[in-house]
Amino acid sequence: LAADYVDLDYSRLTFAGGTTQSVQLSDATPLRNVDSDFFNPTGNASATLWLNGTVAQTIDANALRMPKLRLSGSVKTVGSASQFILYGDLTVDSGATFNAATNNPTVYAYANLVLNGTFQSGTGWWRFDGSLPQTISAAASVRNMVLNNPQGLTIGGNLTVGSATDG
């Protein structure tokens, strides 16, 4: 599915199991009228939400739960969210920017960070809570971090934690 935006009227989005599905959204406000439960994680965990707008895009909802999230094309800002929950990989393509520095949410990551673009973590907490081994693919900087994964976290470059400059 490719569209400018999706307006869910505060309903849930459930992906059918068994296939890999992708939703591509290009508008400046790609998700409209969503709440924290817009994505049903018991559906298809291999689903991908792809924000590919050439204009800056804002991801705006409190405690927003995301499947795999792919970002390309411009700056993607986590808006008013105090929590941002990533059940699948966060992929930042070359030329894109993931910006969590505006509102500094607590980010719960259950999978990998694939960083080919710019990563601005902000001063919020980054929690790596997966049950399978997790990876940060490239150098990154975070102010606050919790590793709560018995399988561990593999770093593909320098990881700076607690720095005054937080990406």
Side-chain angles (χ1 to χ4, degrees):
L1 171 66
D4 292 332
Y5 67 91
V6 63
D7 186 331
L8 293 175
D9 194 26
Y10 299 101
S11 298
R12 277 190 143 184
L13 178 63
T14 302
F15 293 96
T19 61
T20 300
Q21 299 174 4
S22 177
V23 176
Q24 299 178 39
L25 303 173
S26 59
D27 192 78
T29 309
L31 298 172
R32 300 179 186 183
N33 297 318
V34 298
D35 62 18
S36 62
D37 286 326
F38 98 95
F39 170 69
N40 180 359
T42 60
N44 186 349
S46 66
T48 300
L49 179 63
W50 182 8
L51 303 182
N52 64 347
T54 57
V55 298
Q57 293 178 285
T58 300
I59 308 162
D60 211 10
N62 188 32
L64 190 61
R65 293 172 173 91
M66 289 286 186
K68 292 179 184 175
L69 180 60
R70 180 177 173 190
L71 310 175
S72 61
S74 66
V75 176
K76 314 305 181 202
T77 300
V78 178
S80 63
S82 62
Q83 295 181 348
F84 192 67
I85 303 161
L86 296 163
Y87 288 106
D89 294 349
L90 168 62
T91 301
V92 182
D93 289 345
S94 178
T97 297
F98 175 78
N99 175 14
T102 300
N103 291 300
N104 303 301
T106 297
V107 177
Y108 295 85
Y110 291 93
N112 305 307
L113 300 182
V114 182
L115 305 176
N116 298 309
T118 302
F119 176 73
Q120 298 172 330
S121 66
T123 59
W125 285 90
W126 280 77
R127 296 184 52 94
F128 292 88
D129 289 332
S131 58
L132 299 173
Q134 289 176 266
T135 300
I136 299 175
S137 69
S141 179
V142 296
R143 178 72 63 90
N144 301 295
M145 182 178 147
V146 172
L147 178 57
N148 185 28
N149 182 337
Q151 298 298 315
L153 177 66
T154 301
I155 313 298
N158 292 333
L159 176 65
T160 304
V161 178
S163 68
T165 56
D166 48 66

